[in-house]
Amino acid sequence: MKSDLAYDWLFLAGIGNSGPTHWQRHWEAEHPNTLWLEHRDWDSPSRDEWVGELQQLLSTCQRPVVVVAHSLGCLLLLEWAAEYAPAPNKVLGAFLVAVPDPRSTRFPQEATGFRPAEDFANRLPLSMVASENDPYGALEYVQHSARQLGCEYVNVGALGHINGKSQLGYWQPGFSLLQDFTQSLIA
């Protein structure tokens, strides 16, 4: 059953999808106004295929969305926005957590066609959340990307890749950041 809120949260997971211990899954389970983008291939992401799948899902959405992206899902959202001029009544903004750097030696070679966040022009209200010890996106990369995109940036301390391995459970501090960001969009 959907709530009577005027928007949905749309979750975009990274490579391999978010497992049951990931904060995204906890948030999805606890809140009725959520959507989850499922990909045909979670293990060998192709930029063009993932962007097409996101566009297809968004074309069926009945209400505006606030995107809640993790890892490769962040780059997916930026790639989508570069290809499809987002209508402000469709995508209100995006909450980007643990943005990876495709130039990093740790970036999965199976993921093809994705560009660094700093290469994009910002077309949406964004908030970037980063960890001081993320192995996939150095803090300096995220700080620089946020400046280039002209968006809010939050350092949440040393939480690794802010994923299931980080053992955050529901991750209440992150959810509070999402709520604040969402309120700024609909106020």
Side-chain angles (χ1 to χ4, degrees), residues 92-107:
L92 300 175
F95 185 74
L96 308 177
V97 179
V99 181
D101 184 351
R103 299 166 301 198
S104 165
T105 57
R106 300 286 309 265
F107 190 80

Side-chain angles (χ1 to χ4, degrees), residues 12 54 67 73-82 91 94 96 124 126:
L12 304 180
L54 176 55
V67 174
C74 301
L75 297 182
L76 167 60
L77 183 275
L78 295 171
E79 292 283 0
W80 171 84
V91 178
L96 308 177
L124 292 167
L126 302 173

